[in-house]
Structures are given as C-alpha cells and as structure tokens.
Amino acid sequence: MRRIKYLNVCSKNIMLLMLFFLIAGCSHQQLDIPVSNRTRPEAVLRGTHVVQPGETLFSIAWRYGQDYRRLASANRVRSPYVIYPGQRLSLSGRAPATYSQPKAVAKASVSQPSKAVKTKVYKKEPVSKVKKKTDNHPVSSWRWPARGNVVSRFSSGGRVNKGIDIAGKIGEPVFATAAGEVVYAGSGLTGYGNLIIVKHNGSYLSAYAHNKVLLVREGSTVKAGQKIAEIGSTGTSEPKLHFEIRRNGKPVDPLLYLSKR
C-alpha cells in the first residue's frame, strides 16, 4: 500500500515537472514574437531607457511607439537630437535631472550601423542642410518599397502587425518610398533585423526591416525610388520586407498611402 502511494506521488511530481517545462517553453516562444507583430500596439509612456551604443533618438522613439519630438522635448534634447551612450531618457514625459555627457564618450549617438551589417559608405551631409530638405516639405507621393506581393497586411487588433510584409527573394532591391533623411541604420531593434528608418518630414517616418544588406547610412539623404537595401531574412524566418509608416509616432496602414500599382 505504501509503495502504491509512493508511486502515485512520484507520478504527480513528474506530471507537474512536465507541465512546468511546457509552460516555460510557451513563454519563451511568446518572447520571440517579432516587435512588429506583438499584441501591444499602444505606446509605452512610462519608465526610462538607458541609451546603448548605436541607438539614436529616432530608433528609441520607434521602439516605444512614441513621437520622436515628444521624447526629445521630455528630455530637453534639441535638434539635431544628439544623445549619448549611458544617457537616461524618460519615457513618461517628465524631464529627468540635468544630464552631462560622460567624459569617456567622444562621439554622439548619430550612430554608425552595426558592424554586422554590410554597408556602402555615403558621405554624411551636415544635419542643418538635411533638416531644411526634410522638415518642411509635404510627402506628395509614396512609392512601393519592393516589387513583391503583400503577404501580411496592417492590423491594429488581434495579432497586431504595425505595417505590411512584402514577399521577396534574398538580394532583391528595397527602395525608399519617398525622399528623406536616414535617421537609423542598424540591427539594434529586436525583431526587425537589419533596419533602416527614414524621416520624410516632421510628421512621417518609414521603416524597412529584415534586410540582408544596407546601402545607406545615418545622416545620408535619399530620393524617392532610390535603392537603399537588399531583401533578406534577418530577424525573421523567411525572406521578406517588413515595411512601416508612422505618423507622429503612431503606426498607420501603408496601403492607405502607397500609390496604386
């Protein structure tokens, strides 16, 4: 009788242990969902963020779904939005204590692309000139960033997709949807792989994710239809371009903006 009770207890313990590992495995899979498809579409408006090497104010605002101008204003960061590794940024809108640049930091985070990303080097234009070109003009037309078919559409409910996914083969061209300034080029945003963010004017940004190769760098200006990258599968399981447009920090449906094919 005691032996039967002992076996029953052991069986229950084994079942509980198996259930624990099953739950842990499911939790790990949830964490691996790409940023662009997470089920929390709202902006993060609390807490702080410590600037890491390679990040820019634009990429941090993008990560938390905020308007870069709001984030800059809350942290007393003036144009051209220079930030430094180690700097603590408030996400809540409350200005932090006065920040002084670390002595060891010699270069601002108008950052270079990640070393893992192959890039073609373009001469960097002075920010003052770029600002005049991109802040005041309206976006008259939006070109398609790739030639493939749309395989996943924008969705703000259920399984969120903050942009569209366009099918493609590795190495196929990625085009700038409109003229603007490259404000981020790197691989620091989880779930996006090799990513480019382009600022078109004060309100609109566009993003191009999962690239194999980046052909532009931060600070360079691009023309509408210019080849800026090549399709890849970085940060995802298959070759495709994930494309987003954000207006004042909020994701909008790109299909409402792109020209008809």
Side-chain angles (χ1 to χ4, degrees), residues 80-125:
Y81 310 116
V82 177
I83 57 176
Y84 303 91
Q87 183 172 354
R88 189 177 295 273
L89 299 178
S90 170
L91 303 176
S92 65
R94 297 178 181 177
T98 303
Y99 174 79
S100 59
Q101 177 184 353
K103 293 181 179 179
V105 178
K107 196 169 186 180
S109 187
V110 179
S111 59
Q112 301 298 323
S114 167
K115 292 182 179 179
V117 184
K118 296 180 180 179
T119 61
K120 180 179 179 181
V121 177
Y122 285 79
K123 184 178 180 181
K124 205 167 190 176
E125 294 192 32

Side-chain angles (χ1 to χ4, degrees), residues 237-255:
S237 58
E238 57 186 353
K240 63 181 178 181
L241 174 68
H242 176 75
F243 175 70
E244 296 184 23
I245 295 177
R246 295 199 184 182
R247 182 177 182 270
N248 298 329
K250 296 182 179 180
V252 295
D253 187 352
L255 295 181

Side-chain angles (χ1 to χ4, degrees), residues 16 35 55 70 105-106 122 211 218 224:
L16 288 172
V35 172
E55 291 184 322
R70 177 189 184 278
V105 178
Y122 285 79
N211 301 291
E218 288 160 19

Side-chain angles (χ1 to χ4, degrees), residues 14-174:
I14 292 172
M15 290 179 66
L16 288 172
L17 188 62
M18 292 176 64
L19 182 60
F20 171 79
F21 283 115
L22 180 61
I23 293 173
C26 292
S27 299
H28 176 71
Q29 289 178 349
Q30 185 68 23
L31 290 173
D32 284 341
I33 295 175
V35 172
S36 58
N37 288 323
R38 284 181 180 164
T39 56
R40 292 180 58 84
E42 67 273 15
V44 177
L45 300 175
R46 62 181 180 179
T48 59
H49 177 89
V50 178
V51 179
Q52 302 300 311
E55 291 184 322
T56 68
L57 184 86
F58 293 90
S59 69
I60 295 170
W62 193 278
R63 180 190 297 273
Y64 296 108
Q66 291 198 23
D67 186 334
Y68 69 93
R69 294 167 297 186
R70 177 189 184 278
L71 185 63
S73 177
N75 291 276
R76 302 170 185 162
V77 179
R78 297 180 179 180
S79 179
Y81 310 116
V82 177
I83 57 176
Y84 303 91
Q87 183 172 354
R88 189 177 295 273
L89 299 178
S90 170
L91 303 176
S92 65
R94 297 178 181 177
T98 303
Y99 174 79
S100 59
Q101 177 184 353
K103 293 181 179 179
V105 178
K107 196 169 186 180
S109 187
V110 179
S111 59
Q112 301 298 323
S114 167
K115 292 182 179 179
V117 184
K118 296 180 180 179
T119 61
K120 180 179 179 181
V121 177
Y122 285 79
K123 184 178 180 181
K124 205 167 190 176
E125 294 192 32
V127 177
S128 59
K129 292 184 179 180
V130 173
K131 186 174 185 295
K132 291 179 181 179
K133 293 179 181 179
T134 60
D135 276 3
N136 300 321
H137 71 80
V139 181
S140 57
S141 64
W142 300 83
R143 301 191 183 188
W144 279 81
R147 299 190 180 108
N149 295 323
V150 175
V151 293
S152 181
R153 298 179 63 127
F154 176 87
S155 174
S156 57
R159 184 171 176 81
V160 172
N161 188 352
K162 296 179 182 179
I164 58 174
D165 295 332
I166 301 175
K169 297 179 180 179
I170 291 179
E172 289 184 340
V174 174

